Amino acid sequence: MQNFMQDIRKDFPALSQQINEKSLIYFDNAATTHKPKQVIDALTTYYEKFNANPHRGAHYLSIKSTEIYEDARETVRKFIHAKSSKEIIFTKNATESLNILAFSYAMNLVEEGDEIVVSILEHHSNLLPWQQVAKLKGATLKFLYLNKDGGIKDTEIESKITKKTKLVSITHMSNALGNINPIEKITTYAHQYGAKVILDGAQSVPHMTIDVGKLGIDFMVFSGHKMLAPMGIGVLYGKEALLKEMKPFLFGGNMIEYVYEDYASFAELPFKLEAGTQNVEGALGLMTAINYINEIGMEKIQAIEADLTSYALEKLTNLDEVVLYGSKNSKDRGAVISFNIKDVHPHDTASILDSYGVAVRAGHHCAQPLMRYLEIPATTRASFSFYNTKEEIDFFVESLKKVRRWLGYGS
Amino acid sequence: MQNFMQDIRKDFPALSQQINEKSLIYFDNAATTHKPKQVIDALTTYYEKFNANPHRGAHYLSIKSTEIYEDARETVRKFIHAKSSKEIIFTKNATESLNILAFSYAMNLVEEGDEIVVSILEHHSNLLPWQQVAKLKGATLKFLYLNKDGGIKDTEIESKITKKTKLVSITHMSNALGNINPIEKITTYAHQYGAKVILDGAQSVPHMTIDVGKLGIDFMVFSGHKMLAPMGIGVLYGKEALLKEMKPFLFGGNMIEYVYEDYASFAELPFKLEAGTQNVEGALGLMTAINYINEIGMEKIQAIEADLTSYALEKLTNLDEVVLYGSKNSKDRGAVISFNIKDVHPHDTASILDSYGVAVRAGHHCAQPLMRYLEIPATTRASFSFYNTKEEIDFFVESLKKVRRWLGYGS
Amino acid sequence: MDLNSIYSELILEHSQNSHNYRRIDAPTLSHKGHNPSCGDEITLQLKLESEIIKDAAFSGVGCAISKASTSILIDLITDKTKQEALNLVDTFIGMIKREVTNEEELEILEDALAFQNISNLPARVKCAVLAWHTLKKSLE
Amino acid sequence: MDLNSIYSELILEHSQNSHNYRRIDAPTLSHKGHNPSCGDEITLQLKLESEIIKDAAFSGVGCAISKASTSILIDLITDKTKQEALNLVDTFIGMIKREVTNEEELEILEDALAFQNISNLPARVKCAVLAWHTLKKSLE
Ligand SMILES: Cc1ncc(COP(=O)(O)O)c(C=O)c1O
Ligand SMILES: Cc1ncc(COP(=O)(O)O)c(C=O)c1O
């Protein structure tokens, strides 16, 4: 394990930096992860050897770019166990994927009086698009609330998802608390009423094996940058029959069949939903990142991250000055820990930790309604990746202990 | 000049490749350009030393990423001579920028019976969004047609832009023919009637000095990948007062102020129009590309490209088997040459040239209505960048001469 | 890439002044195939008499490869049954996709074997298969 | 980065149990300032008597820096004229942006000089200026 970790960390140049004369401890992985040199090198090679506009050219570089782009699509398909590569649409991030679903799918599905169900845990990106649809269509947005543990109870699901529900859009793993939601239960329940289920996989796809078929979901979204790939590339997965019904979201080059002055017909899936020049290098980066993850093995990644999380949870539970949010049971959560230090605003905590080289996030984590629900203005969040270590957690905890003193409290 | 060119070409690793055992001659620059090593290195450094989610974190890497992203915005602002960096919105490509304008601006501006004016030269990306707006609003899409030279005559402008016109969206330089349109005339004329003008600068921003104020336009769009930067980054420029009126296009993280369960207020410009995690490395790549262009100097770039274009035009004019499209006058055009070889379909031409290592494009160039207007199914297109050379043009012309023979014609 | 194997005598012959490039009077089937990304557009006309393709012809625009492929297809299917023609299409598509590689099986393609190496030119595969897909659609 | 210069005695004193953290009866002006990205929300209350700020106080939530900055601001503007207060705000913002660097000019900021180095902590600049911007908006 020791050696394995040393090897792994060598793959990530950013991890061996000094920040403020301290070794960087990067615990902001839920925001974005660092990139292994395999991904960085793949991009460099792409620029040096390939780089052309795919799908449109008869020349060598264009053919290569097309191959790379479509290989990336197939790699994503396998990774999430989708049936067909037509079900994989490349977008710029999870947020765009959700907006496509809101405006090109839900706007045609939801009618006045219908209900859309989300949870109070949602990231703004999985909330604002539904507020828009609800407003424009005269539908109602309903929230699944949490029990004390941060979990969603069966009774909550059963009472909120009803025959009025047309759509459930829910996060798999909360970026703010780390909680993992009971997706299979929700899909089974939603499908009873014929409602469609969208999974926000931004936090789960990077950290657990995903089988869209087993989960029973209709759509899923995620972002490359949270899973070792570059920013600027995201994915929208949808069941082929459903994507087929959808009208295009962006209109322009690449997504057309015939174009007349006053009329145009559109290409088949997946191209119908990919307008303009696509981010080929982003797709290549995502493919390379997935290959990297597969090489380590998702099960190993999950085991390492679960181990780090329970180690950190235990240490933090032992600190009197720390208030923890989210499930106490590390089985119900991913590698995200939200907490506060008594009497200290999370921004001060984050700045002080930063001075020790420890990068954590402070704020509402794009989940203002959740913060309001928990009656806290903000939290401090430490989120781990498989490349983090227990030694880093030890140092982080030691640094945390100094925070109150910096702010003039006895301890 | 000789030495300068040698130095420049060394900056572009992709240019010194062998393709099919021939030296690559890359004449598909209107589709996408290659990237100088300065850009590639900037990305590598970013991944190795920075890389974090901007605008949300109190830690060092996040602060650096924020700085890089906002520096990039300021660099773009200066490059196109916009007044404020609030006028610069980062998007994924020119196509997305145009869709934002269609759905977040034009849909609120255009009413039944109004007219939207485009030209018959438009790229599908600057046509399909307007078809949608026209259809959804019951407005009429009007086309500026061409004279024999491929130019748009004053009388055409004067007869098509009328008091019914609400919006003119026009390409600065045609990607299919190379023609440069008389933008100042169009804006002056459109503004007389209070119509707004959108400039599709996808082909012009990479190749000429742009001053949005002098051009008098209201909005402009372009893509990074056509100007030495990566794919996945584009720009929407708009006058601040106009962008301010616009409703958001994508909804989610980053573009909010306050979020409640059933309601959200939005951030100020430019953030209101940038939802979700942005492509920071793309913005950095664009900034580095602009710095590279500035270092050479846009005037020098223009001079080199004009020289290459007239050299090639002259050579091609002398070939009996070549039919040229677009203006005969190299002053009215950018570094794009569209042509066909008699009796030969452009796809065959492109494949044969490819076997000589010459990368050109064949097809409708995302301008089907133009092809139909010109009554040709497709053209072959050679498009130059300042890093191309006359020797490359010589070789290209020699290879062209062999095309008819490959297809069994005497010469 | 070996251009000679693509722009071969046979293919050039069929791409220029093909005897199949004409119109049939009163065809029983007429189907348009298109390749929007290239602008290729080919109309295939068939005259069927009780399951037998008695006559076939094409018109439209296309590159040398798509025209030759169409013309060779027509030679091949004339006087064949619908079922035989469909079988030829499947074998041809199989050959292009490198799924059918058995030489004996491929033999029935006769002149159409000239396209065996088209997958070395991935950008042109669409041109080679256009007419075959069109035939399949029109017969089904 | 020198944390000592940020979390100094003075700032800590003002951020905890500040004597200005209270409510005024019948304020003449009450203005809410917020920093959505952090969740900071501060209400500034003023009692003006013919252009003189007779009393000022704040309430709300915020980090140590925003609370200290607010409290120090309040000490500074109490018994000053509106014009003097606005001048202090401009000088303070100028200092933070490193546009005003002349020491004599900065002297009027007194305790607020403690924030001179906050720009070394770019993520916290917003916290330090929140109250000052809020005051400016409320007076204008
Ligand atoms: C004139 C013109 N407009 C718009 C576009 C669309 O750019 P993109 O595909 O990068 O969105 C292009 C390039 O393809 C173009 O040449
Ligand atoms: C749960 C969740 N959903 C959606 C998003 C949005 O992802 P992006 O910003 O990459 O679009 C994030 C990340 O910020 C997230 O954590």
Side-chain angles (χ1 to χ4, degrees):
Chain A
M1 191 66 166
Q2 199 66 36
N3 277 339
F4 169 76
M5 285 313 298
Q6 277 164 13
D7 288 349
I8 289 285
R9 288 181 65 91
K10 272 195 215 128
D11 288 339
F12 293 82
L15 296 181
S16 53
Q17 290 182 76
Q18 301 287 106
I19 303 285
N20 298 324
E21 290 156 41
K22 301 276 160 54
S23 298
L24 169 66
I25 293 182
Y26 187 76
F27 282 173
D28 197 14
N29 294 289
T32 203
T33 59
H34 286 298
K35 323 303 174 201
K37 63 176 189 301
Q38 287 82 344
V39 169
I40 305 171
D41 291 349
L43 298 178
T44 302
T45 305
Y46 178 77
Y47 292 126
E48 290 180 354
K49 298 231 173 115
F50 306 110
N51 181 55
N53 220 310
H55 294 302
R56 295 196 208 152
H59 62 78
Y60 175 85
L61 296 182
S62 177
I63 292 159
K64 281 289 159 196
S65 291
T66 309
E67 279 172 21
I68 288 169
Y69 189 65
E70 293 307 321
D71 282 355
R73 199 191 301 280
E74 175 61 15
T75 303
V76 171
R77 183 199 67 72
K78 274 197 204 135
F79 189 64
I80 62 168
H81 301 89
K83 280 198 186 132
S84 157
S85 62
K86 288 185 192 170
E87 300 181 324
I88 308 299
I89 311 295
F90 284 120
T91 64
K92 67 175 173 181
N93 53 28
T95 302
E96 187 187 22
S97 303
L98 287 163
N99 278 270
I100 296 175
L101 290 174
F103 295 106
S104 282
Y105 182 72
M107 282 296 286
N108 290 327
L109 177 78
V110 174
E111 283 163 28
E112 198 176 330
D114 287 346
E115 292 178 356
I116 301 172
V117 175
V118 297
S119 84
I120 192 72
L121 284 164
E122 300 312 322
H123 187 281
H124 294 156
S125 292
N126 194 27
L127 173 56
L128 272 78
W130 310 119
Q131 288 182 346
Q132 290 297 312
V133 174
K135 195 175 95 182
L136 292 167
K137 286 292 181 175
T140 306
L141 200 55
K142 280 204 159 178
F143 286 81
L144 300 171
Y145 295 106
L146 310 177
N147 61 20
K148 274 185 210 134
D149 224 28
I152 297 173
K153 275 197 293 201
D154 286 4
T155 50
E156 185 68 10
I157 295 170
E158 288 159 20
S159 69
K160 294 287 167 65
I161 300 178
T162 69
K163 60 183 196 297
K164 285 190 171 175
T165 311
K166 277 284 171 68
L167 200 62
V168 180
S169 192
I170 180 118
T171 187
H172 200 175
M173 178 183 139
S174 157
N175 70 305
L177 297 186
N179 285 52
I180 293 169
N181 284 325
I183 301 307
E184 290 178 51
K185 187 159 296 155
I186 290 171
T187 43
T188 311
Y189 212 79
H191 285 164
Q192 271 180 28
Y193 294 111
K196 301 293 182 229
V197 178
I198 296 169
L199 187 65
D200 177 355
Q203 294 295 337
S204 61
V205 175
H207 301 287
M208 49 209 264
T209 302
I210 298 286
D211 183 326
V212 291
K214 276 198 198 138
L215 287 169
I217 50 179
D218 298 290
F219 299 98
M220 183 171 74
V221 307
F222 59 101
S223 280
H225 69 92
K226 293 183 198 282
M227 51 188 291
L228 318 184
M231 290 177 179
I233 188 80
V235 173
L236 162 60
Y237 155 82
K239 283 185 184 156
E240 189 175 341
L242 298 177
L243 290 180
K244 222 169 187 166
E245 294 170 22
M246 270 165 68
K247 69 177 191 59
F249 179 65
L250 298 179
F251 296 82
N254 216 33
M255 51 71 78
I256 55 96
E257 185 189 35
Y258 284 108
V259 180
Y260 300 89
E261 291 186 11
D262 55 353
Y263 166 82
S265 57
F266 306 121
E268 309 243 290
L269 285 177
F271 310 109
K272 179 179 80 173
L273 289 165
E274 294 180 352
T277 302
Q278 299 300 300
N279 188 350
V280 181
E281 49 262 54
L284 167 63
L286 180 55
M287 165 162 68
T288 315
I290 290 175
N291 290 341
Y292 185 89
I293 289 170
N294 286 338
E295 204 151 301
I296 299 181
M298 191 52 108
E299 266 155 46
K300 187 159 194 170
I301 286 176
Q302 252 182 299
I304 296 171
E305 291 177 351
D307 193 38
L308 291 172
T309 309
S310 46
Y311 184 77
L313 273 177
E314 200 187 308
K315 286 224 152 189
L316 292 177
T317 308
N318 289 336
L319 294 187
D320 278 347
E321 67 262 44
V322 168
V323 184
L324 284 164
Y325 305 102
S327 173
K328 301 278 157 331
N329 187 341
S330 55
K331 268 187 219 142
D332 301 339
R333 57 193 296 163
V336 168
I337 298 180
S338 241
F339 64 93
N340 272 326
I341 295 191
K342 276 180 200 143
D343 307 319
V344 181
H345 192 280
H347 275 89
D348 294 312
T349 307
S351 286
I352 292 165
L353 288 176
D354 183 45
S355 77
Y356 291 104
V358 181
V360 299
R361 181 136 306 219
H364 51 61
H365 314 296
C366 296
Q368 288 184 14
L370 175 65
M371 296 295 128
R372 218 169 280 120
Y373 179 76
L374 298 175
E375 296 181 346
I376 43 177
T379 77
T380 323
R381 180 184 77 184
S383 53
F384 312 122
S385 167
F386 61 88
Y387 50 58
N388 291 124
T389 66
K390 290 190 182 167
E391 291 70 41
E392 289 182 320
I393 292 175
D394 290 340
F395 187 87
F396 155 68
V397 171
E398 288 313 304
S399 309
L400 257 192
K401 286 185 190 162
K402 297 176 193 154
V403 168
R404 278 178 57 89
R405 230 168 307 148
W406 271 113
L407 285 163
Y409 296 102
S411 77
Chain B
M1 191 67 166
Q2 199 66 34
N3 277 339
F4 169 76
M5 285 311 299
Q6 278 165 11
D7 288 349
I8 288 286
R9 288 181 66 90
K10 272 195 216 128
D11 288 339
F12 292 82
L15 295 180
S16 53
Q17 290 182 75
Q18 300 288 106
I19 303 286
N20 297 323
E21 289 156 41
K22 301 276 161 51
S23 298
L24 168 66
I25 294 183
Y26 186 76
F27 283 174
D28 197 13
N29 294 290
T32 204
T33 60
H34 286 298
K35 323 304 174 203
K37 62 175 191 297
Q38 286 81 345
V39 168
I40 306 171
D41 290 349
L43 298 178
T44 302
T45 305
Y46 177 76
Y47 291 127
E48 290 180 354
K49 298 233 174 114
F50 306 110
N51 182 55
N53 221 312
H55 294 304
R56 294 197 210 150
H59 62 77
Y60 176 84
L61 297 182
S62 177
I63 292 159
K64 281 289 159 196
S65 291
T66 309
E67 278 172 20
I68 288 168
Y69 189 65
E70 293 306 321
D71 282 354
R73 199 191 301 279
E74 174 62 14
T75 303
V76 170
R77 182 199 69 71
K78 273 195 205 138
F79 189 63
I80 63 169
H81 301 90
K83 280 196 188 135
S84 157
S85 62
K86 288 185 191 167
E87 299 181 324
I88 307 300
I89 311 295
F90 284 120
T91 63
K92 68 174 171 180
N93 53 27
T95 302
E96 187 188 21
S97 303
L98 286 162
N99 278 271
I100 296 174
L101 289 175
F103 295 107
S104 283
Y105 182 73
M107 282 295 285
N108 291 327
L109 177 78
V110 174
E111 283 163 27
E112 199 175 331
D114 286 346
E115 293 178 357
I116 301 172
V117 175
V118 298
S119 85
I120 193 70
L121 284 163
E122 301 313 322
H123 187 282
H124 294 157
S125 292
N126 193 27
L127 173 56
L128 272 79
W130 310 120
Q131 289 183 345
Q132 290 297 314
V133 173
K135 196 175 96 184
L136 292 168
K137 286 292 179 175
T140 307
L141 200 56
K142 281 205 156 177
F143 286 81
L144 300 170
Y145 296 107
L146 310 177
N147 61 20
K148 274 184 209 135
D149 224 29
I152 298 173
K153 275 198 294 202
D154 286 3
T155 50
E156 185 68 10
I157 295 169
E158 288 159 20
S159 68
K160 294 287 169 63
I161 299 177
T162 69
K163 61 182 196 296
K164 284 190 170 174
T165 311
K166 277 285 171 66
L167 199 61
V168 180
S169 191
I170 181 117
T171 187
H172 200 175
M173 178 182 139
S174 157
N175 69 305
L177 297 185
N179 284 54
I180 292 167
N181 284 326
I183 301 308
E184 290 178 51
K185 187 159 296 154
I186 290 172
T187 41
T188 310
Y189 212 79
H191 285 164
Q192 272 180 26
Y193 294 111
K196 301 292 182 228
V197 178
I198 297 170
L199 187 67
D200 177 354
Q203 294 294 338
S204 60
V205 176
H207 301 288
M208 48 210 264
T209 303
I210 298 286
D211 183 326
V212 291
K214 276 197 197 137
L215 287 169
I217 50 180
D218 299 291
F219 298 98
M220 183 171 75
V221 307
F222 59 99
S223 280
H225 68 93
K226 292 182 198 281
M227 50 187 291
L228 318 183
M231 289 177 179
I233 189 82
V235 172
L236 162 60
Y237 155 81
K239 284 184 183 157
E240 189 175 340
L242 299 177
L243 290 179
K244 221 169 188 167
E245 292 170 23
M246 272 166 68
K247 69 176 191 60
F249 180 64
L250 298 178
F251 296 81
N254 216 31
M255 51 71 78
I256 55 95
E257 185 189 37
Y258 284 108
V259 180
Y260 299 88
E261 291 186 13
D262 55 352
Y263 167 82
S265 57
F266 307 122
E268 310 242 292
L269 285 176
F271 309 110
K272 179 179 79 173
L273 290 164
E274 294 179 353
T277 302
Q278 299 301 300
N279 187 350
V280 181
E281 49 263 53
L284 166 63
L286 181 54
M287 164 161 70
T288 315
I290 290 176
N291 290 340
Y292 184 89
I293 289 170
N294 285 338
E295 204 151 301
I296 299 181
M298 191 52 108
E299 266 156 47
K300 186 158 195 170
I301 287 176
Q302 253 183 300
I304 296 171
E305 292 176 351
D307 193 37
L308 291 171
T309 309
S310 48
Y311 184 77
L313 273 177
E314 200 187 307
K315 287 223 152 192
L316 292 176
T317 309
N318 291 335
L319 295 186
D320 278 347
E321 67 262 44
V322 168
V323 185
L324 283 164
Y325 306 101
S327 173
K328 302 278 162 321
N329 187 341
S330 55
K331 268 188 220 144
D332 301 339
R333 56 194 295 163
V336 168
I337 299 181
S338 240
F339 63 94
N340 272 325
I341 295 192
K342 276 180 199 141
D343 307 319
V344 182
H345 192 281
H347 274 89
D348 294 311
T349 308
S351 286
I352 292 165
L353 288 176
D354 183 44
S355 77
Y356 292 104
V358 182
V360 299
R361 181 137 306 219
H364 50 61
H365 314 297
C366 296
Q368 288 184 16
L370 175 66
M371 296 294 126
R372 218 169 280 120
Y373 179 76
L374 298 175
E375 296 180 347
I376 44 176
T379 77
T380 322
R381 181 185 76 184
S383 53
F384 312 123
S385 167
F386 61 89
Y387 50 57
N388 292 124
T389 65
K390 289 188 181 168
E391 292 69 41
E392 289 182 320
I393 291 175
D394 290 340
F395 187 87
F396 155 68
V397 171
E398 287 313 306
S399 311
L400 257 191
K401 287 185 190 163
K402 298 176 192 156
V403 167
R404 275 177 61 87
R405 231 170 304 148
W406 271 112
L407 285 162
Y409 298 100
S411 78
Chain C
M1 186 185 47
D2 183 12
L3 268 195
N4 281 307
S5 81
I6 307 288
Y7 295 106
S8 63
E9 282 292 326
L10 178 74
I11 288 181
L12 294 185
E13 220 181 274
H14 276 278
S15 74
Q16 290 163 22
N17 314 314
S18 161
H19 56 280
N20 296 320
Y21 193 83
R22 57 189 170 87
R23 285 183 190 276
I24 295 178
D25 281 342
T28 39
L29 279 173
S30 181
H31 208 90
K32 210 177 196 170
H34 53 239
N35 223 330
S37 64
C38 347
D40 283 359
E41 217 170 85
I42 269 171
T43 302
L44 205 59
Q45 295 183 313
L46 302 177
K47 192 167 238 159
L48 279 151
E49 277 175 25
S50 61
E51 299 292 295
I52 310 265
I53 300 167
K54 279 293 183 190
D55 197 7
F58 79 105
S59 53
V61 286
C63 62
I65 291 169
S66 77
K67 277 165 145 182
S69 172
T70 312
S71 178
I72 289 171
L73 165 71
I74 287 172
D75 278 359
L76 205 57
I77 59 168
T78 308
D79 291 327
K80 297 265 180 8
T81 64
K82 238 174 94 166
Q83 200 42 56
E84 285 168 326
L86 283 170
N87 184 35
L88 284 163
V89 170
D90 288 343
T91 310
F92 184 82
I93 308 282
M95 172 183 81
I96 302 285
K97 288 190 177 167
R98 310 226 154 139
E99 287 167 5
V100 180
T101 50
N102 181 310
E103 284 195 23
E104 274 173 49
E105 230 176 296
L106 291 176
E107 250 173 26
I108 55 165
L109 292 177
E110 299 177 25
D111 281 357
L113 280 164
F115 295 99
Q116 194 156 14
N117 291 320
I118 196 74
S119 44
N120 294 334
L121 228 68
R124 311 305 301 283
V125 167
K126 277 190 175 178
C127 315
V129 298
L130 175 59
W132 302 73
H133 280 304
T134 309
L135 177 65
K136 192 166 180 175
K137 277 205 191 125
S138 90
L139 288 181
E140 276 172 0
Chain D
M1 188 188 46
D2 183 11
L3 268 196
N4 281 309
S5 81
I6 307 289
Y7 295 107
S8 61
E9 282 291 324
L10 178 74
I11 289 181
L12 295 184
E13 220 181 273
H14 275 280
S15 74
Q16 291 164 21
N17 314 314
S18 162
H19 56 279
N20 296 320
Y21 193 81
R22 57 189 172 89
R23 285 184 189 274
I24 295 179
D25 282 341
T28 40
L29 281 173
S30 182
H31 208 88
K32 212 177 195 169
H34 54 239
N35 223 329
S37 65
C38 346
D40 284 357
E41 219 170 84
I42 270 170
T43 302
L44 205 59
Q45 295 183 313
L46 302 177
K47 193 167 239 156
L48 280 153
E49 276 176 27
S50 61
E51 299 290 297
I52 309 264
I53 300 166
K54 277 292 183 191
D55 196 9
F58 79 105
S59 53
V61 285
C63 62
I65 291 168
S66 76
K67 278 169 148 178
S69 171
T70 312
S71 178
I72 290 171
L73 165 70
I74 288 173
D75 278 358
L76 204 58
I77 58 167
T78 309
D79 291 327
K80 297 264 176 18
T81 65
K82 238 173 95 164
Q83 200 43 54
E84 283 168 327
L86 283 171
N87 184 36
L88 284 163
V89 170
D90 288 343
T91 309
F92 185 83
I93 307 281
M95 171 183 81
I96 301 285
K97 288 188 178 168
R98 309 228 155 141
E99 287 167 5
V100 180
T101 49
N102 181 310
E103 284 195 25
E104 272 173 49
E105 232 176 294
L106 291 177
E107 251 175 27
I108 55 165
L109 292 177
E110 300 177 24
D111 280 357
L113 280 164
F115 295 98
Q116 195 155 15
N117 290 321
I118 197 75
S119 43
N120 293 334
L121 227 70
R124 311 306 300 284
V125 167
K126 275 190 177 179
C127 314
V129 297
L130 176 59
W132 304 72
H133 279 304
T134 308
L135 176 66
K136 193 167 179 175
K137 277 206 191 123
S138 91
L139 288 182
E140 275 172 2

